[in-house]
Amino acid sequence: MSPDRPQAHESNPGQAGEGPLVARVDLSQLVANMHCLRRAAPGLGMLAVVKADAYGHGAIPVARALIAAGAEGLCVATLAEALELRRHGLQAPILVFGDRRPESVPVAAAQGIDLGVVSAEHLRHLLPLVVQHPVGLHLKLDTGMGNSGFQVGELGAAMELLQALRPHLRGVMGHYSDAEAPDGRIAANQRQTFQAGLARLREAGLAPPMVHHANSAGCLRGFTEGDTHVRCGIGLYGLLDIPQAAPAGLRPILELSAEVTRAVRVPAGTPVGYGSTWVAPHPMTLATLACGYADGFSRALSNRAWAGFEGGSYPLVGTVSMDVVVAVLPEDSPIRAGDRMTLLSRHPQDPNSVLQTARLLGTIGYEVTCALHRRVIRQYF
Ligand SMILES: Cc1ncc(COP(=O)(O)O)c(C=O)c1O
């Protein structure tokens, strides 16, 4: 794990310098967030979920920083994501949640990458392959997500196969569907189902060393009894949307800022953007920003969102274009072409924080940062 050092780093060296649109990611706060989550789960290993390019934050620098700070492993959704980590020198344990393709087994085995077992059918297909290509397996129990894993009732019929794969069974996992809910009722039901599944396996003499059910919300709320590891994603990125998150010390780590490409005074009646959905009611100053829906800044934010500058918030007006959006500035604004305005703020109370933006869009923070396109330059500090 020694080569996996965090570095000040740009993900897109072809576009050096500040760049028109930059997502700045605070790797020290990322690591601080991991420590906050660890405090809620003392003694448990941390499997850092870095799928989907670390929820848009950049998988390689994020994974390097977390592994260098002691994370026990990494989780991704696809084998391609795991191979990308290996290509960049990350030697840490990696678990792929959901790759059931037979051709993935030899590759995963050769690269020391573990695979989640997502169904009884998957298990059947794995047996002959795993004998030839030994790979670590994490048996997934469907404890209430209803979309992946074994039903506890299916385990009996699968026991013979599971016994045959025993040397390869490295973990048993489940996944909370609603660990955020204040009453914790669904999580408690899922926990019971998980314990029943574990008991079933243990009665049959199967006791894989790793047991992990909790995501960030489950981790922070202590829904981890009997587990050996947690699998945290959103909490690492400081975007866990539950009341316990801020007091625990979790803080957002990403800020998106765009260059002002034009700041101009316009007369009353000036329309802005496709469809002229906004028209200046009186003479106004407009700032054009180099960010649009192709960057992942949703068109559904048209006429609804805010840009920040030195503590102030300025409304975005007109339809968000593919590469451009426009903010209205006060008459005496000092903002000029070349200045930068914030489109996603790191401060949760700002109207353009990631979580406020998600609320405007009727979605969750995960989707807002996952949407950030590759052409958005990531900078790390
Ligand atoms: C199987 C699995 N485990 C853990 C996580 C991490 O969840 P969170 O980002 O809510 O911490 C995810 C994320 O979707 C997941 O799919």
Side-chain angles (χ1 to χ4, degrees):
M1 290 183 197
S2 51
D4 308 333
R5 290 253 170 275
Q7 299 166 351
H9 170 125
E10 260 188 27
S11 65
N12 196 344
Q15 300 182 41
E18 271 274 80
L21 184 60
V22 173
R24 297 190 82 226
V25 177
D26 181 346
L27 294 177
S28 328
Q29 185 60 48
L30 169 79
V31 167
N33 288 341
M34 178 169 77
H35 292 315
C36 295
L37 290 161
R38 275 195 189 287
R39 276 196 289 281
L44 273 63
M46 171 65 63
L47 304 179
V49 180
V50 297
K51 61 182 177 163
D53 205 23
Y55 298 21
H57 294 72
I60 304 303
V62 162
R64 282 187 178 141
L66 293 172
I67 293 296
E72 278 74 13
L74 303 165
C75 299
V76 288
T78 68
L79 186 63
E81 290 178 316
L83 294 175
E84 175 87 355
L85 295 169
R86 285 283 184 263
R87 264 198 300 279
H88 284 83
L90 283 140
Q91 300 303 324
I94 302 178
L95 166 62
V96 175
F97 290 146
D99 194 316
R100 55 177 291 289
R101 295 168 307 153
E103 60 270 29
S104 297
V105 175
V107 182
Q111 294 284 333
I113 293 166
D114 290 359
L115 298 176
V117 185
V118 298
S119 68
E121 186 213 19
H122 187 200
L123 185 71
R124 268 197 305 281
H125 291 159
L126 278 170
L127 183 62
L129 292 164
V130 170
V131 170
Q132 274 193 33
H133 308 283
V135 65
L137 301 174
H138 294 241
L139 184 70
K140 185 154 185 198
L141 300 182
D142 183 356
T143 62
M145 273 296 278
N147 58 13
S148 169
F150 281 72
Q151 308 281 318
V152 173
E154 287 181 297
L155 287 175
M159 225 32 109
E160 210 174 306
L161 277 177
L162 288 170
Q163 293 290 1
L165 287 169
R166 179 204 296 252
H168 307 285
L169 280 183
R170 196 160 284 165
V172 182
M173 62 185 284
H175 187 46
Y176 285 118
S177 64
D178 197 15
E180 292 82 0
D183 68 7
R185 193 177 44 81
I186 293 177
N189 285 341
Q190 286 195 256
R191 195 83 218 159
Q192 265 188 2
T193 306
F194 193 53
Q195 300 302 2
L198 282 172
R200 198 71 208 269
L201 293 167
R202 285 176 182 148
E203 278 159 23
L206 293 167
M210 295 172 69
V211 177
H212 43 104
H213 195 294
N215 56 358
S216 302
C219 169
L220 204 60
R221 298 185 67 195
F223 301 156
T224 51
E225 205 190 319
D227 289 0
T228 61
H229 291 74
V230 289
R231 295 188 317 270
C232 294
I234 201 76
L236 295 169
Y237 311 118
L239 298 171
L240 179 58
D241 197 8
I242 61 174
Q244 295 88 338
L250 298 181
R251 307 268 179 271
I253 65 170
L254 178 143
E255 177 190 273
L256 179 71
S257 74
E259 194 175 84
V260 175
T261 56
R262 186 183 84 158
V264 67
R265 194 84 189 140
V266 298
T270 301
V272 171
Y274 288 112
S276 303
T277 60
W278 186 90
V279 177
H282 48 79
M284 297 186 109
T285 305
L286 302 180
T288 303
L289 300 171
C291 177
Y293 62 79
D295 299 295
F297 194 78
S298 174
R299 189 171 180 277
L301 291 168
S302 297
N303 288 306
R304 302 170 71 195
W306 302 84
F309 185 81
E310 292 182 351
S313 294
Y314 305 95
L316 297 180
V317 294
T319 304
V320 176
S321 297
M322 191 182 287
D323 319 299
V324 164
V325 66
V326 171
V328 174
L329 305 178
E331 190 178 346
D332 57 353
S333 168
I335 299 174
R336 296 282 174 271
D339 287 336
R340 305 190 71 78
M341 297 185 80
T342 306
L343 287 169
L344 293 174
S345 160
R346 285 180 64 184
H347 302 292
Q349 66 283 5
D350 285 352
N352 63 349
S353 71
V354 171
L355 289 180
Q356 297 285 15
T357 303
R359 282 178 202 121
L360 274 178
L361 289 168
T363 185
I364 51 178
Y366 301 65
E367 193 175 354
V368 173
T369 57
C370 280
L372 293 175
H373 193 267
R374 286 186 91 86
R375 80 178 186 186
V376 178
I377 295 170
R378 270 71 167 179
Q379 284 180 352
Y380 299 91
F381 64 103

